[in-house]
Amino acid sequence: MTPDQACEQLGQQLARTKAELEQFAYVVSHDLQEPVRLIAGFVQLLERRYKGKLDATADEFIASAMEGVAQMQERIQGLLEYSRISTRGGEFQPVDCERLFQDVLASLRAGQEESAAVVTHDPLPTLSADARQLRVVFQQLLSNAVRYRSEDPPRVHLRAQADGAEWTFSIQDNGIGLDPQYAAQIFVIFRRLHTRSEYPGTGLGLALCKRIVERHGGRIWVESEPGKGAAFHFTLPERPARTAC
């Protein structure tokens, strides 16, 4: 076997393994939904029937069980969504990123006004992409930039720069930032740097962004320091519209 044939064979094996793992994640997350719904139903019955009728410790146990079931449901739904990035993605078609940005900004207006956030941007290109998935990336990164804010009102800027056959998008904020040692960890599914009491969320958003960007043939990373804001960058190849695999 020649080196080229060995590389091709390895690539095929990796592709099959990836497809199998995605299918496994889908099946597990799909099949777990029914038993979790059943557990949730019984815990809700316990709450309605016995809350306030036992002692404070029992009420605390029931509340903890309710919270645990809710978190489990969130994670199962998140895993299902994560597994569908490649298997149920849409076609790649020309997407006006300027219009997409404005649509996302409109959907985030309530949080933007509540925090007195100022979001600006440079001119954005039209690229071939899965519009629904690209919207998820924009929405997640922009909402994070507003959510993880410091004491100062959020200042967020989006720019896009052509670099050969690809575009690099950058979202810069003046928020709390993060330690560079966690720069890769934050893109791992369900990995969080903060507790739910500090910042709500499932730890899924950035993992979704990574899967989506990689499906488009790009990459995503962050540059940040604690207390000095963060700059999230991701690339998208400039290519003709095609059917996504």
Side-chain angles (χ1 to χ4, degrees), residues 109-148:
R109 185 156 293 145
Q112 184 181 349
E113 292 176 351
E114 182 271 334
S115 63
V118 175
V119 182
T120 56
H121 73 290
D122 292 344
L124 302 176
T126 294
L127 296 175
S128 180
D130 180 332
R132 183 183 65 83
Q133 290 188 349
L134 188 56
R135 179 186 178 90
V136 171
V137 176
F138 275 41
Q139 188 159 8
Q140 184 64 46
L141 295 181
L142 288 171
S143 63
N144 278 359
V146 174
R147 179 187 304 166
Y148 296 98

Side-chain angles (χ1 to χ4, degrees), residues 2-244:
T2 67
D4 288 344
Q5 289 174 328
C7 288
E8 182 179 357
Q9 184 177 16
L10 179 60
Q12 292 173 350
Q13 291 174 346
L14 290 173
R16 284 195 299 269
T17 301
K18 180 181 177 182
E20 290 170 357
L21 288 173
E22 290 174 348
Q23 181 63 21
F24 174 76
Y26 172 78
V27 170
V28 168
S29 55
H30 182 272
D31 291 352
L32 279 177
Q33 289 187 84
E34 186 56 36
V36 170
R37 277 196 291 263
L38 183 64
I39 294 170
F42 279 109
V43 174
Q44 288 168 357
L45 283 174
L46 285 172
E47 182 184 40
R48 287 199 295 267
R49 184 168 299 181
Y50 296 110
K51 184 176 181 180
K53 296 182 179 179
L54 301 174
D55 56 21
T57 301
D59 286 348
E60 183 179 340
F61 288 165
I62 292 174
S64 296
M66 288 289 295
E67 182 180 355
V69 170
Q71 290 184 20
M72 188 180 297
Q73 288 178 315
E74 283 183 352
R75 293 198 172 199
I76 290 173
Q77 186 58 41
L79 183 59
L80 187 61
E81 185 177 356
Y82 185 80
S83 69
R84 287 173 169 171
I85 293 297
S86 296
T87 58
R88 300 199 177 186
E91 291 186 350
F92 287 13
Q93 297 179 345
V95 176
D96 183 345
C97 293
E98 178 74 30
R99 181 174 180 179
L100 184 65
F101 170 81
Q102 295 298 338
D103 288 345
V104 170
L105 206 58
S107 71
L108 301 175
R109 185 156 293 145
Q112 184 181 349
E113 292 176 351
E114 182 271 334
S115 63
V118 175
V119 182
T120 56
H121 73 290
D122 292 344
L124 302 176
T126 294
L127 296 175
S128 180
D130 180 332
R132 183 183 65 83
Q133 290 188 349
L134 188 56
R135 179 186 178 90
V136 171
V137 176
F138 275 41
Q139 188 159 8
Q140 184 64 46
L141 295 181
L142 288 171
S143 63
N144 278 359
V146 174
R147 179 187 304 166
Y148 296 98
R149 57 183 179 267
S150 62
E151 295 181 356
D152 298 324
R155 298 292 182 267
V156 185
H157 185 72
L158 168 63
R159 68 177 186 274
Q161 182 175 354
D163 184 14
E166 67 180 12
W167 283 81
T168 299
F169 292 79
S170 300
I171 296 180
Q172 175 78 54
D173 66 57
N174 65 337
I176 61 175
L178 59 97
D179 192 314
Q181 68 175 310
Y182 301 120
Q185 179 178 324
I186 61 173
F187 295 102
V188 177
I189 188 170
F190 301 136
R191 191 66 57 86
R192 293 172 51 87
L193 301 184
H194 307 278
T195 64
R196 284 173 172 263
S197 60
E198 292 175 310
Y199 296 97
T202 61
L204 177 68
L206 290 177
L208 284 176
C209 290
K210 185 173 185 291
R211 282 293 298 274
I212 290 171
V213 169
E214 289 178 348
R215 178 182 176 240
H216 284 70
R219 63 192 187 283
I220 186 169
W221 69 98
V222 63
E223 296 176 338
S224 181
E225 291 183 37
K228 296 184 178 181
F232 281 85
H233 312 281
F234 66 93
T235 63
L236 293 177
E238 186 172 13
R239 56 185 169 184
R242 64 174 180 83
T243 300

